[in-house]
Amino acid sequence: MANYLTIDVGGTNIKYALMDENIEIFEKGEIPTPYEGLEVFIDTICDLYKKFEDRDVQALAMSAPGKIDSSNGYFFTSGALKYISGVNLAGRLAERIPVPFAVENDAKAAALAELWKGSMQGVKNGTVVVLGTGIGGAVIIDGKLYRGTTFAAGEYSNISTRLDLPYSKERNWATLNGVGRLVEAYEKKIGAEEGTLNGRDLFNAANEGQPEAIEAIEHYCEGLATAIISLQTILDVERVSIGGGISKQPILIDTLRRVITEMNAPFEGSAPYTLPDIEPCTFGNDANMIGALYHYLHELKK
């Protein structure tokens, strides 16, 4: 069976995995993301390919941040990696790598993984919300990923949380519900110095029953629930799948389900929307690579 090199470009690390079309992973790892510039980035990707070129690699499938035309590999924007903005990465890599290349936006890749073999299987209309530094997202309509007119559908980070004030980055959804804000709230509650704790510390404390940690998660989920209800009035989906590292914490999903049900209770029967199912994404850190492979095999290659 053919092998594929899958790569997930993040702001801190580049994850990679050698897998087959049944998403069996034979080897994986990660390396630091270079910030020196485009040429160093391309060298890094080429070095990863060379590491596996004798393993029957049939294609290289990548996920990355940014507004990307996944049909041709062109980056309109590239998130923190600004040196890729305005670059046709597929064209540049074709000069040095002798196998096909495909790239998809990271949140959209996560949604494709869920559509293929995860929580969105059999779902006609849904949305994926990926919790991280920002709020990644993807919209599924009629069982297919909806990319939008300019490939920006699902860029939920930029949704305003205050409609009574002019738009501001300080008031967008990423600022309110980025994972960093959850940890900051917990640090304040227990009087810890800012930046000394992480999500693992918070959830360990919450799972042990610490009231401050549970309260921080409760407040965080109130913001999530409010935004999901707003999305539901527009999208009317049957399921919302929550992704990102913290989605693997049952206490987060359980709290979110309870909070959104309680929040909606006064309007049940009078509001035009129906609450969607809330599910955790099936795939963890491998989701973006799995979705990138789906994009190549089932959208580009066919």
Side-chain angles (χ1 to χ4, degrees):
M1 186 172 290
N3 293 328
Y4 301 90
L5 175 58
T6 60
I7 294 175
D8 175 28
V9 179
T12 303
N13 293 308
I14 295 175
K15 301 182 182 72
Y16 61 88
L18 185 71
M19 66 175 74
D20 64 20
E21 61 192 48
N22 294 322
I23 67 171
E24 181 177 354
I25 295 175
F26 305 108
E27 184 176 341
K28 67 179 179 178
E30 61 182 51
I31 57 176
T33 302
Y35 275 83
E36 293 87 343
L38 178 62
E39 297 307 320
V40 176
F41 176 81
I42 289 175
D43 286 343
T44 301
I45 301 303
C46 291
D47 287 344
L48 281 176
Y49 171 74
K50 290 175 183 176
K51 176 182 174 70
F52 296 102
E53 64 180 337
D54 61 348
R55 305 273 296 272
D56 190 31
V57 173
Q58 297 297 300
L60 193 161
M62 175 186 290
S63 76
K67 193 165 78 166
I68 303 166
D69 184 344
S70 59
S71 69
N72 61 23
Y74 183 83
F75 282 69
F76 290 91
T77 64
S78 59
L81 305 180
K82 299 187 184 304
Y83 54 73
I84 313 180
S85 296
V87 173
N88 186 311
L89 188 61
R92 292 298 307 273
L93 289 175
E95 299 169 2
R96 298 180 56 183
I97 295 178
V99 297
F101 170 76
V103 61
E104 179 59 275
N105 166 270
D106 46 11
K108 292 179 175 62
L112 287 173
E114 296 301 315
L115 264 175
W116 189 17
K117 295 179 181 291
S119 64
M120 285 290 174
Q121 287 186 96
V123 171
K124 184 177 181 181
N125 300 313
T127 185
V128 175
V129 177
V130 183
L131 306 176
T133 303
I135 310 291
V139 181
I140 294 161
I141 299 175
D142 290 333
K144 296 181 180 179
L145 178 66
Y146 174 69
R147 292 180 172 86
T149 304
T150 63
F151 315 104
E155 293 293 334
Y156 292 151
S157 279
N158 298 292
I159 293 175
S160 179
T161 62
R162 292 289 301 272
L163 298 184
D164 59 331
L165 294 170
Y167 178 79
S168 167
K169 185 176 180 181
E170 287 69 37
R171 293 187 287 270
N172 69 20
W173 192 14
T175 301
L176 175 68
N177 269 137
V179 174
R181 179 57 65 92
L182 169 60
V183 176
E184 287 174 13
Y186 174 57
E187 288 172 335
K188 288 179 181 178
K189 284 181 179 293
I190 65 172
E193 184 178 348
E194 184 176 341
T196 57
L197 300 176
N198 56 37
R200 188 177 295 106
D201 299 321
L202 164 64
F203 283 102
N204 284 343
N207 289 324
E208 291 172 359
Q210 186 188 71
E212 293 85 354
I214 293 171
E215 289 171 9
I217 293 171
E218 181 97 5
H219 179 70
Y220 180 80
C221 285
E222 288 174 357
L224 281 181
T226 301
I228 288 171
I229 289 174
S230 297
L231 287 176
Q232 185 66 349
T233 65
I234 301 168
L235 298 175
D236 189 24
V237 297
E238 57 191 283
R239 178 169 297 166
V240 176
S241 291
I242 306 297
I246 67 172
S247 70
K248 293 300 181 184
Q249 294 286 341
I251 191 173
L252 177 83
I253 302 300
D254 291 344
T255 302
L256 176 58
R257 287 170 175 155
R258 176 178 53 77
V259 166
I260 198 169
T261 299
E262 292 173 352
M263 188 177 290
N264 181 66
F267 311 103
E268 191 169 3
S270 61
Y273 59 83
T274 301
L275 286 184
D277 295 335
I278 305 291
E279 297 291 338
C281 286
T282 303
F283 303 105
N285 290 332
D286 299 330
N288 296 356
M289 294 184 288
I290 292 169
L293 179 57
Y294 175 91
H295 168 59
Y296 171 71
L297 291 175
H298 298 281
E299 295 185 330
L300 280 189
K301 191 179 177 183
K302 65 179 183 179

